[in-house]
Amino acid sequence: MEQSFSSILTYSIQAIAILLIIFNILRRNEKKVGWGSLSPLLALLGMAVSFEFGNYIFGDQLLSFLGLPAWSNADNTGFHYTIFLSSIFFIPSLIIGYKNPKAFGAKIGKWVSSIYLFMIIIPALFFIIS
């Protein structure tokens, strides 16, 4: 019970810090909000799908809701299909960020998506090779 409260407190503090950073950036914003502004939102969705919040992984729950397995093996081992689900958000985020670079947030969305896609592709290649 105490560990759960600690986790919730940690995530709450992180969320507040992120919101304060976003509000500070928006206040100093000189760029226009446009299609490229969807890039960081899609990147955040991709991250939310792939992160583990205690014992809860949103992507696993979403796949379960759709009637799909989250892992390639029945005992939660093997290949984790949640990376494909997060890629559904990261790939459009990357494309939108590149196509609309002058919009507010496009650059950060493009970079975050690039980093995460790189971190997804490398382990997937190792899994396929082994």
Side-chain angles (χ1 to χ4, degrees):
M1 181 73 148
E2 192 173 307
Q3 183 181 9
S4 148
F5 176 74
S6 170
S7 297
I8 292 171
L9 182 63
T10 302
Y11 291 129
S12 298
I13 292 170
Q14 290 173 354
I16 291 169
I18 290 169
L19 286 174
L20 288 173
I21 291 168
I22 290 170
F23 287 137
N24 189 25
I25 291 170
L26 284 173
R27 193 178 46 158
R28 296 182 292 144
N29 177 28
E30 295 178 6
K31 292 184 174 185
K32 301 242 185 232
V33 174
W35 285 108
S37 302
L38 287 174
S39 182
L41 295 174
L42 289 170
L44 280 172
L45 284 172
M47 289 188 299
V49 165
S50 60
F51 278 152
E52 182 175 344
F53 303 100
N55 290 331
Y56 183 82
I57 301 174
F58 179 66
D60 288 1
Q61 298 300 318
L62 187 57
L63 287 172
S64 175
F65 176 75
L66 296 172
L68 301 169
W71 292 88
S72 60
N73 297 333
D75 58 348
N76 290 347
T77 60
F79 195 73
H80 200 189
Y81 294 134
T82 305
I83 65 170
F84 292 123
L85 186 60
S86 64
S87 296
I88 290 172
F89 296 106
F90 288 130
I91 292 170
S93 172
L94 184 64
I95 293 169
I96 289 170
Y98 272 109
K99 288 193 173 210
N100 304 288
K102 295 188 188 256
F104 173 73
K107 186 175 183 180
I108 190 72
K110 176 178 65 175
W111 279 103
V112 168
S113 297
S114 299
I115 291 166
Y116 271 89
L117 282 171
F118 180 77
M119 290 178 6
I120 289 170
I121 290 170
I122 297 303
L125 289 175
F126 283 121
F127 183 80
I128 291 169
I129 291 171
S130 64

